[in-house]
Amino acid sequence: PELAANAVMVNSEEMPAGSEIVKGYDFNQGVDHHKLLQSYKYSGFQATNFGLAVEEINKMIKRRKEPIPEDKIENCRDGFPIIKNNCTIFLGYTSNMASCGVRETIRFLVEHSLVDCIVTTAGGIEEDFIKCLAPTYIGDFALPGRQLRDKG
């Protein structure tokens, strides 16, 4: 246990002044499109895949608003499974999503029942735990990994 703790819980050095913290947009503050787009500077973002994801999300939202078909209701005997709407939405994410600035968006989706089931890895839980201990900073792929690890 001590060897593992020492490998994982390395004491961190102070970040240089001006280091930018990873943080996603907080939808609970309302939707300010300008601030939303500005927030992408502080989170992992890929425009094309984002656009495709928006299309899929819109399809799911539209489907949820449609009435539940009779055959689905008839196949639901003895109250199991409970059908709440016409589209069950699964949210799957990898561990890096918790620390890259999308964590706040995931929280919002869960908080407001916009997803029905979350599928993640143990790393997703670990990253969330790490994010609770201290902020995550914007990095660069060119930074020397060995030196960063030694600094905690």
Side-chain angles (χ1 to χ4, degrees):
E2 185 178 2
L3 177 64
N6 290 338
V8 175
M9 303 299 281
V10 177
N11 286 329
S12 297
E13 292 182 9
E14 287 291 323
M15 293 295 296
S19 296
E20 296 177 321
I21 296 175
V22 172
K23 183 160 177 58
Y25 185 80
D26 185 356
F27 287 93
N28 285 319
Q29 302 301 311
V31 178
D32 179 332
H33 295 99
H34 181 69
K35 288 182 181 177
L36 173 63
L37 292 174
Q38 283 182 320
S39 75
Y40 291 144
K41 179 180 176 184
Y42 306 102
S43 59
F45 182 73
Q46 192 180 49
T48 301
N49 287 328
F50 179 78
L52 294 170
V54 168
E55 287 180 1
E56 289 303 313
I57 290 167
N58 286 334
K59 289 178 193 175
M60 290 185 283
I61 291 170
K62 181 180 176 186
R63 182 59 158 247
R64 270 195 165 188
K65 292 177 181 177
E66 295 173 2
I68 300 170
E70 284 298 319
D71 62 322
K72 272 191 177 182
I73 294 171
E74 289 174 13
N75 290 333
C76 179
R77 300 186 198 241
D78 300 324
F80 186 81
I82 297 170
I83 299 175
K84 296 179 181 178
N85 55 54
N86 197 27
C87 181
T88 301
I89 298 176
F90 287 75
L91 173 65
Y93 65 92
T94 56
S95 62
N96 63 311
M97 301 304 278
S99 59
C100 79
V102 181
R103 179 178 187 251
E104 291 81 359
T105 302
I106 294 169
R107 184 201 72 223
F108 178 85
L109 294 172
V110 172
E111 200 173 39
H112 297 279
S113 302
L114 297 171
V115 296
D116 300 297
C117 180
I118 293 177
V119 180
T120 189
T121 62
I125 297 164
E126 177 186 10
E127 293 274 346
D128 191 51
F129 178 67
I130 290 168
K131 187 85 169 168
C132 291
L133 294 175
T136 304
Y137 293 88
I138 299 290
D140 186 318
F141 282 109
L143 293 172
R146 170 64 108 187
Q147 288 177 349
L148 292 174
R149 179 66 182 139
D150 290 342
K151 291 181 176 188

